[in-house]
Amino acid sequence: MTGVIALLVTVFVTGAVAVVMRWKNGRFSRGGVETNADATSEVLGADDIGGVLGERATLVQFSSAFCAPCRATRRILTETADIVPGVVTHEIDAESHLDLVRRLDVLRTPTVFVLDASGAIVSRASGAPTRDQVIAALDRAIPEFS
Amino acid sequence: MPLTPTVDPRGQRFIAAITSVVLAVVLLVPSPAREIVLAFQVAVFATGAFGALSASPYAQLFARLVRPRIGPPAEREDARPPRFAQVVGFTFAAIALLGFVSGLTTLGLVATGFALAAALLNATTGFCLGCELYLLIQRLTHRDAVPQKGSTP
């Protein structure tokens, strides 16, 4: 009997974790250029991300070796940057940039940051996002998005 | 890009599914069947964790029974996270077995539950526990900001 209870509890907890992960993965924080008027956002420069900022926005992906979803994320970000003018994407290896990882509180990979034209972090998401989620996040980071 | 060993992701899901069923059985059957089944699963975990991933009986089952029917995978994935999963499974299952055998039944049930949860998550959603923990472990074990190449963790 206790075994049955243990099984039910395990299945329930597993289900709960699966639901939470599905909800959280790829969900960008609701920050946007309008709501980010204060100066408390972190700003990343070209030195931090190892490349130039995009004219309108920049997508920064933190990846690591042990990261199955990172490949799919890289593909989605690259394709999006190809389609949307003024947007560039950079990938950072988390393991070799632990200072930045700690500064930005990166806990898992992939973590994607959306920067506005000045390099200020406008929103972020952990777990692999869909293309729609990336486009919506860019929409909030670019004043006149077309 | 360095060539790391890769595995068929569908094989990993298949293995996780079988593992889930076996661990569920462990929770449901009485002693001594419970300890026997669990001991078998501990051995299976051990082959995947410390030997060749493909040597595990479940991997063999996939290779001989399923794989010929479904053809090659579209993409292969890094073999290290699945191996890490086998190590985690081995650890929990071994603790569980020790718990059951020494009369600490609650410990046995809880540890089996954890192993089952991990296998079930992997089988149903492809959730990769090793992937989630990897960066956290890196952050905890590397005190300097930028680790030197070749330094031991």
Side-chain angles (χ1 to χ4, degrees):
Chain A
M1 190 57 207
T2 43
V4 174
I5 294 174
L7 179 60
L8 289 174
V9 168
T10 302
V11 170
F12 177 78
V13 168
T14 301
V17 170
V19 166
V20 168
M21 295 307 297
R22 181 149 302 173
W23 180 88
K24 179 160 177 60
N25 279 343
R27 179 170 295 262
F28 281 92
S29 56
R30 297 300 297 177
V33 267
E34 298 79 38
T35 58
N36 249 35
D38 57 8
T40 58
S41 325
E42 281 267 10
V43 177
L44 296 182
D47 292 334
D48 293 315
I49 62 179
V52 292
L53 294 173
E55 273 179 15
R56 300 162 85 201
T58 309
L59 299 166
V60 180
Q61 173 184 348
F62 281 80
S63 302
S64 62
F66 253 57
C67 175
C70 285
R71 222 203 306 193
T73 303
R74 175 194 311 143
R75 209 177 318 153
I76 287 181
L77 295 188
T78 311
E79 284 170 2
T80 306
D82 285 344
I83 302 174
V84 181
V87 173
V88 302
T89 175
H90 292 290
E91 192 171 359
I92 297 178
D93 176 43
E95 285 178 76
S96 49
H97 295 84
L98 289 180
D99 52 338
L100 202 50
V101 161
R102 291 193 175 101
R103 179 178 143 201
L104 299 178
D105 222 358
V106 176
L107 298 174
R108 52 196 288 245
T109 55
T111 294
V112 176
F113 290 90
V114 182
L115 315 181
D116 67 12
S118 67
I121 295 176
V122 165
S123 105
R124 61 186 284 173
S126 67
T130 61
R131 180 165 301 122
D132 288 340
Q133 286 171 315
V134 175
I135 300 274
L138 278 177
D139 185 23
R140 295 193 296 275
I142 299 175
E144 315 91 33
F145 187 74
S146 53
Chain B
M1 182 131 57
L3 286 171
T4 49
T6 58
V7 292
D8 184 336
R10 306 161 311 173
Q12 298 312 308
R13 301 286 283 266
F14 178 84
I15 290 170
I18 302 211
T19 306
S20 303
V21 171
V22 171
L23 289 173
V25 166
V26 167
L27 287 177
L28 293 175
V29 298
S31 283
R34 172 175 68 190
E35 285 78 0
I36 294 171
V37 175
L38 185 51
F40 170 74
Q41 182 58 49
V42 169
V44 170
F45 275 137
T47 59
F50 311 116
L53 272 178
S54 55
S56 134
Y58 306 163
Q60 288 292 308
L61 207 59
F62 177 78
R64 288 163 205 255
L65 237 56
V66 181
R67 171 72 203 264
R69 288 174 167 76
I70 59 177
E75 271 185 44
R76 297 177 67 84
E77 65 180 15
D78 189 332
R80 289 171 299 168
R83 184 181 284 279
F84 179 84
Q86 296 293 302
V87 173
V88 170
F90 172 80
T91 306
F92 278 116
I95 291 175
L97 186 58
L98 288 174
F100 285 130
V101 159
S102 60
L104 299 168
T105 308
T106 308
L107 173 64
L109 292 175
V110 169
T112 304
F114 273 110
L116 173 57
L120 209 47
L121 270 175
N122 186 247
T124 54
T125 69
F127 177 82
C128 172
L129 183 63
C131 305
E132 299 294 330
L133 294 179
Y134 185 67
L135 181 58
L136 294 177
I137 293 173
Q138 292 294 307
R139 285 182 61 159
L140 287 173
T141 58
H142 284 93
R143 283 293 125 210
D144 25 349
V146 180
Q148 305 305 313
K149 285 280 173 238
S151 65
T152 47

